[in-house]
Amino acid sequence: MSIELINEYGKIDITNDVIAQVVGEAAIECYGIVGMASRHQIRDGLTEILRKENYSRGVIVRNIGEETHIDMYVIIGYGTKVSEVAYQVQSKVKYTLRQSVGMNVKSVNIFVQGVRVINP
């Protein structure tokens, strides 16, 4: 599945994997995020933190009509305020997609899959 953007220069097709990679990169830059988690924890392993090349396994991009919804599965750092970290990730993801891809996102849903100690 892909998202089609049309502008005065032509048509651009962006796959959901590319959007998931951009979203994963944006989330990792936020304070309090230790890593991305797999959305299928039982099948992939309970303690797995995804590496950079596998961010798309922790992000679901859903296209419902003209609206785009993103579900993210993250691991946060111990001692951080969960609601504040989730809000920062939502803001960063929406801003990054608007600036880099030129698309507006209807919702960014954060699913905290675990808590880890942040290495100093």
Side-chain angles (χ1 to χ4, degrees):
M1 179 152 255
S2 66
I3 294 174
E4 184 178 289
L5 300 174
I6 300 173
N7 59 21
E8 64 272 9
Y9 302 113
K11 181 174 79 166
I12 302 169
D13 286 325
I14 303 171
T15 66
N16 287 349
D17 288 337
V18 171
I19 294 169
Q21 191 68 29
V22 170
V23 166
E25 292 282 336
I28 287 298
E29 293 175 1
C30 293
Y31 176 78
I33 296 294
V34 175
M36 300 292 294
S38 173
R39 62 184 179 254
H40 303 292
Q41 283 199 350
I42 293 176
R43 184 179 70 193
D44 295 339
L46 290 173
T47 59
E48 181 182 5
I49 294 179
L50 299 176
R51 291 187 298 259
K52 189 175 185 176
E53 61 271 5
N54 293 329
Y55 284 162
S56 61
R57 287 175 44 201
V59 177
I60 298 173
V61 179
R62 294 179 289 126
N63 303 314
I64 302 172
E66 295 294 317
E67 298 177 344
T68 302
H69 302 273
I70 296 177
D71 297 335
M72 300 180 65
Y73 297 84
V74 298
I75 298 174
I76 65 167
Y78 178 78
T80 58
K81 188 173 180 182
V82 176
S83 61
E84 196 60 36
V85 172
Y87 175 76
Q88 292 300 323
V89 170
Q90 288 171 328
S91 298
K92 175 82 173 191
V93 165
K94 284 185 175 185
Y95 174 79
T96 302
L97 284 176
R98 194 174 331 108
Q99 294 299 315
S100 63
V101 182
M103 64 183 285
N104 291 320
V105 178
K106 179 72 173 176
S107 67
V108 178
N109 303 309
I110 309 295
F111 298 93
V112 178
Q113 297 292 86
V115 177
R116 296 271 175 93
V117 176
I118 299 174
N119 294 333

